[in-house]
Amino acid sequence: MEKGSDFRQWDELIPDALGLIFSNLPLKEVLTVIPRVCKSWSKAVMGPYCWQEIDIEEWSSLSQPDNLDRMLRMLIARSSGSLRKLSVSGLNNDLIFSFIAEHAGSLQSLRLPRSEMNDLIVEQIAGRFSTITFLDVSYCVKIGARALEAIGKNCKMLVGLCRNMHPLDTAGKPPEDDEGLAIAATMPKLKHLEMAYHLISTASILQILSSCPDLEFLDLRGCWSVILDDKLTKEKNPNLKVLGPLVVDYYERNDWDDCSDFSDASSEYLAWEFMTGGVVDYFDDDDDSFDGMWDDEASLEELELRFYEGVGQNVGDNYGWPPSP
């Protein structure tokens, strides 16, 4: 920085400030472009400053399961216990769910749509999610009332729950009240509840309304068995907005069709691939304090991340890395 200048160099900003700035960039750029700019930026990306909020839901819906697990482990490890928000789709094993729970000490918002965890594993580790205030377990077909009850009993600060279902998973099946009753019995502080296309009856919805006096939004689209008296509901819950159950619209796709296009070479979505190998050292000097930063990355199975545009498409020169700014 020049003497007398009123401006600081970008590489002299403290890591906290850099992390706040980088959080507004796409994940791809944070992982591949930013680390190559300078040492201070690379160090900020390797530390917890950029990973207090992790949103890879869109990417994970098109990712191979092994790559998803490795990506999550890498990013959560970088958060160093400061993770506050996590959004990811399609967890397919109990081990990665348990790994998330082990690092959930500061977690407040958790989105896990279309994941494969079951009632048993949720019951075992729900206590580790005690700081959660918002949870999305939509389209998780392997969990039921037992899991919701465990969540409600352990997540005392929970004010938002998404438990939407896909119409194909519920079409033609009779109503079931066990999940609705579990919500009513264990989640009295709810303000936001989504149960679109869920197998639920009027009786359990009335129980929820009675047990959750602070409820402000209730999504019942596609819950065809629910019949509510609008006037009575408004009198008892004046601040409540109910969406559905009879809504003249079409069902949002929820990216289900897109999930089957992982191998479609015509997709313009940038797929990401992990490769086994050493971490590239972008700086050739002998700064030992900086070199130690790469040791942490090596412990994460020495993964190298690269991007390529379209599956099966030829990767350009320089291993497909985006150009450095």
Side-chain angles (χ1 to χ4, degrees):
M1 184 171 65
E2 296 181 2
K3 185 176 181 180
S5 173
D6 293 331
F7 303 96
R8 296 188 63 181
Q9 298 287 350
W10 278 87
D11 60 355
E12 295 179 358
L13 290 176
I14 60 175
D16 305 62
L18 289 173
L20 185 61
I21 295 170
F22 296 158
S23 66
N24 295 298
L25 298 176
L27 181 64
K28 179 188 69 174
E29 276 71 23
V30 175
L31 288 175
T32 62
V33 178
I34 295 301
R36 306 180 68 199
V37 174
C38 62
K39 295 179 182 180
S40 64
W41 286 23
S42 180
K43 189 173 183 179
V45 169
M46 294 294 294
Y49 313 104
C50 292
W51 310 113
Q52 294 178 353
E53 296 186 2
I54 299 174
D55 185 353
I56 57 172
E57 185 172 345
E58 182 180 359
W59 173 78
S60 59
S61 66
L62 298 176
S63 172
Q64 297 284 15
D66 289 345
N67 289 346
L68 173 56
D69 287 5
R70 297 164 79 182
M71 172 70 90
L72 269 178
R73 290 180 183 275
M74 181 180 73
L75 298 184
I76 292 176
R78 288 186 181 184
S79 72
S80 301
S82 63
L83 182 63
R84 296 196 304 260
K85 180 179 179 180
L86 175 62
S87 300
V88 58
S89 174
L91 299 183
N92 71 334
N93 62 74
D94 293 346
L95 290 178
I96 190 63
F97 186 56
S98 298
F99 181 81
I100 293 172
E102 292 170 2
H103 296 78
S106 302
L107 196 61
Q108 299 173 7
S109 175
L110 180 61
R111 291 182 178 271
L112 301 173
R114 307 181 186 92
S115 294
E116 298 293 323
M117 64 276 190
N118 56 40
D119 284 338
L120 181 59
I121 187 65
V122 173
E123 289 176 325
Q124 292 174 349
I125 64 178
R128 298 181 180 179
F129 293 111
S130 59
T131 59
I132 291 289
T133 60
F134 180 86
L135 177 66
D136 186 350
V137 286
S138 298
Y139 323 114
C140 298
V141 297
K142 292 186 177 181
I143 64 172
R146 287 170 50 194
L148 294 180
E149 183 177 359
I151 291 168
K153 289 181 176 180
N154 289 278
C155 305
K156 299 297 186 181
M157 296 185 289
L158 193 67
V159 295
L161 175 67
C162 293
R163 183 66 179 127
N164 302 311
M165 299 299 291
H166 195 286
L168 296 180
D169 293 328
T170 58
K173 297 180 180 179
E176 298 178 1
D177 289 328
D178 53 350
E179 290 194 19
L181 295 178
I183 292 172
T186 62
M187 305 179 188
K189 295 183 179 181
L190 283 182
K191 295 183 178 180
H192 183 106
L193 176 61
E194 298 182 19
M195 302 191 73
Y197 296 91
H198 206 283
L199 296 173
I200 196 167
S201 72
T202 303
S204 55
I205 289 296
L206 292 177
Q207 187 64 42
I208 290 174
L209 295 179
S210 175
S211 303
C212 305
D214 298 327
L215 199 61
E216 298 174 354
F217 179 80
L218 178 60
D219 188 349
L220 296 175
R221 288 173 300 161
C223 299
W224 311 119
S225 299
V226 176
I227 301 175
L228 294 178
D229 186 320
D230 293 341
K231 183 178 180 180
L232 182 61
T233 302
K234 193 66 176 178
E235 290 177 356
K236 292 186 176 182
N237 305 84
N239 297 323
L240 176 64
K241 177 181 178 180
V242 179
L243 180 60
L246 301 178
V247 178
V248 182
D249 65 357
Y250 61 92
Y251 176 75
E252 292 77 11
R253 291 172 57 199
N254 287 300
D255 296 329
W256 278 77
D257 293 337
D258 293 339
C259 291
S260 63
D261 294 337
F262 179 81
S263 61
D264 184 0
S266 65
S267 174
E268 295 182 357
Y269 188 87
L270 289 174
W272 305 359
E273 178 183 13
F274 280 104
M275 300 179 60
T276 303
V279 177
V280 178
D281 190 351
Y282 300 116
F283 308 101
D284 296 326
D285 60 23
D286 297 326
D287 187 350
D288 293 336
S289 63
F290 180 70
D291 290 340
M293 179 187 69
W294 300 111
D295 294 337
D296 293 335
E297 188 72 358
S299 67
L300 296 171
E301 304 182 48
E302 294 186 339
L303 300 178
E304 178 183 350
L305 180 66
R306 71 180 173 94
F307 293 80
Y308 61 95
E309 193 162 348
V311 179
Q313 186 175 342
N314 291 332
V315 181
D317 295 338
N318 198 29
Y319 299 99
W321 289 97
S324 178

